[in-house]
Amino acid sequence: MDLDLAPPAGVGPLQIGMSQQAAATALDSLRDLTSLSDSDRPGQHVFRPSGLMISIHCMRGQLEAIELGRPAAATDRVMFRGLDVFALPAREVVRVMREHTRVQADPEDRASFVAPDLLLSFWRPFATDDEPDEVQGYYFGSVLVAQPGYYDTPAEAEERSGRSC
């Protein structure tokens, strides 16, 4: 299965801003009924047979973020404009993403990157860009699509709330 990242709208049937109940139903539709995982938590996350983890984060009854964890098998892919974000080295993903949008290193975690204009972030536990055998640091381990304001600092959130009045 291919899941297309469509920031900031969502991923596949999961759409940012949908109700928590609708998000739980959409998440359930991504479960592989022929191979249920004991790690699945209805309304929170599912693990597909490939190892792909799909997690939803809701607040105030609405879906605010969707996180996808890197699959172990290529039977599931997470795509952004034709780019398989978990199949390519992290350095290459960042390079290609920069052709589409601004991408910056996370100031708190230099191994991770944020595309703030798309409300998209990429995470890995550490950077080993020159060591392909070190999978956890060579590839991104997760990608997150979020609602506007998700990455705001407290000052930015205050400014955003002031603009919406």
Side-chain angles (χ1 to χ4, degrees):
M1 171 177 68
D2 284 357
L3 284 172
D4 290 314
L5 298 170
V11 179
L14 295 164
Q15 298 297 300
I16 298 295
M18 69 188 332
S19 73
Q20 187 167 356
Q21 183 176 4
T25 300
L27 178 65
D28 195 50
S29 76
L30 298 171
R31 184 175 273 116
D32 184 335
L33 298 177
T34 64
S35 181
L36 297 177
S37 170
D38 291 337
S39 298
D40 285 0
R41 296 289 172 262
Q44 294 177 7
H45 56 259
V46 300
F47 287 83
R48 294 190 41 84
S50 67
L52 175 67
M53 182 270 307
I54 306 164
S55 179
I56 58 173
H57 306 274
C58 296
M59 187 167 248
R60 294 180 293 282
Q62 289 189 317
L63 181 60
E64 69 172 9
I66 307 150
E67 183 177 9
L68 299 112
R70 186 173 192 268
T75 53
D76 288 322
R77 300 183 314 165
V78 177
M79 309 295 290
F80 177 77
R81 297 183 182 173
L83 172 72
D84 184 339
V85 301
F86 292 131
L88 294 175
R91 181 185 298 179
E92 182 69 7
V93 171
V94 170
R95 186 191 67 72
V96 173
M97 289 296 299
R98 284 183 170 148
E99 294 173 5
H100 300 284
T101 190
R102 178 171 54 112
V103 178
Q104 56 199 38
D106 183 324
E108 296 177 19
D109 179 2
R110 294 297 204 185
S112 300
F113 293 82
V114 177
D117 300 331
L118 293 178
L119 302 165
L120 195 60
S121 67
F122 298 90
W123 177 85
R124 58 186 169 163
F126 51 88
T128 56
D129 290 324
D130 297 322
E131 190 60 49
D133 292 334
E134 187 58 66
V135 174
Q136 288 187 7
Y138 193 67
Y139 299 96
F140 284 118
S142 69
V143 62
L144 184 128
V145 177
Q147 71 180 12
Y150 189 83
Y151 299 108
D152 286 357
T153 64
E156 291 168 334
E158 185 175 322
E159 182 181 328
R160 181 185 297 279
S161 68
R163 285 193 305 238
S164 64
C165 293

